[in-house]
Amino acid sequence: MVDNAVVLQVRDLAFAYPGCQVLDGFGMALPGGLALVQGGESRGKSTLLRLLAGELAAQRGSIVLHGVDQAADPQTYARHVFWADARSNSLDALSARAWWQELPARYPAWDAAALDTHIQGFSLQEHVGKPLYALSTGSKRKVLMAAALASGAALTLIDEPVSGLDKPSAAYLARALSSAAAQPGRVVLVAHYEPLPGALWGTVIDLGD
């Protein structure tokens, strides 16, 4: 099921790294559902997610989520966004269990039953007590995505989801993404170079090759 009301509105977004323009005048209006940002290497997929997460600041433009303007009210906006960068080592000293236990206080729509389902679906049972630095790339990514899917966040951002995943986990992810995105008023936005087979994509944004 897709919510046809606009959940996330982006207008005239511009961002450049020194000597490299990444986005210029970018815009999109996303209803609830599962959305894909696709494109070739260095086309701005990850940068867009980091802008939406508030990790980077746009040089121009606006980002509005459920009527909350990111620039005008960043704290309220941030409470409705889930973002965990798999390339960051900021969580590495924590175990999966310890990190997950912190998240219900931040995300009011946190679904503990969904987390249990994702632990099973991603075969994470033996890893929940390990620090993240001790996990493989794929297992760490699964820990982060299990939390993302269980968060219930109105804007859930997932970058390059299948990197390091085994085939059964990738197949489970496609089903889990579609299920999470069916929650009313929720956008699950994935950045990847192509659609994941089996996922029910409602919107596809192509940044080009």
Side-chain angles (χ1 to χ4, degrees), residues 64-83:
V64 178
L65 175 63
H66 278 306
V68 179
D69 188 289
Q70 184 196 63
D73 192 353
Q75 291 183 333
T76 300
Y77 176 92
R79 285 199 292 270
H80 298 287
V81 178
F82 185 99
W83 165 246

Side-chain angles (χ1 to χ4, degrees), residues 1-174:
M1 181 177 68
V2 175
D3 180 354
N4 290 319
V6 172
V7 174
L8 177 68
Q9 180 80 60
V10 179
R11 292 189 175 96
D12 195 28
L13 201 65
F15 180 83
Y17 295 106
C20 179
Q21 187 76 42
V22 181
L23 298 170
D24 189 9
F26 176 82
M28 62 181 180
L30 296 183
L34 183 60
L36 173 71
V37 177
Q38 68 178 14
E41 290 296 323
S42 303
R43 296 300 298 175
K45 302 185 299 296
S46 298
T47 297
L48 176 59
L49 263 60
R50 293 175 67 195
L51 287 163
L52 296 174
E55 190 174 278
L56 294 174
Q59 279 107 29
R60 187 182 76 243
S62 65
I63 300 170
V64 178
L65 175 63
H66 278 306
V68 179
D69 188 289
Q70 184 196 63
D73 192 353
Q75 291 183 333
T76 300
Y77 176 92
R79 285 199 292 270
H80 298 287
V81 178
F82 185 99
W83 165 246
D85 190 344
R87 295 164 296 188
S88 171
N89 60 7
S90 62
L91 300 172
D92 280 3
L94 293 174
S95 69
R97 181 186 293 112
W99 180 55
W100 289 335
Q101 288 173 345
E102 295 177 357
L103 297 178
R106 178 173 176 182
Y107 299 102
W110 178 265
D111 189 337
L115 178 63
D116 289 340
T117 298
H118 300 320
I119 291 171
Q120 296 288 328
F122 284 129
S123 300
L124 285 170
Q125 300 93 320
E126 65 182 284
H127 299 304
V128 297
K130 299 176 184 177
L132 267 62
Y133 71 77
L135 300 181
S136 68
T137 298
S139 293
K140 178 180 177 180
R141 195 173 294 273
K142 288 190 282 186
V143 165
L144 301 182
M145 291 194 296
L149 295 164
S151 70
L155 178 57
T156 301
L157 304 168
I158 300 176
D159 194 16
E160 299 298 345
V162 298
S163 178
L165 261 62
D166 53 274
K167 287 185 178 180
S169 293
Y172 174 77
L173 172 64

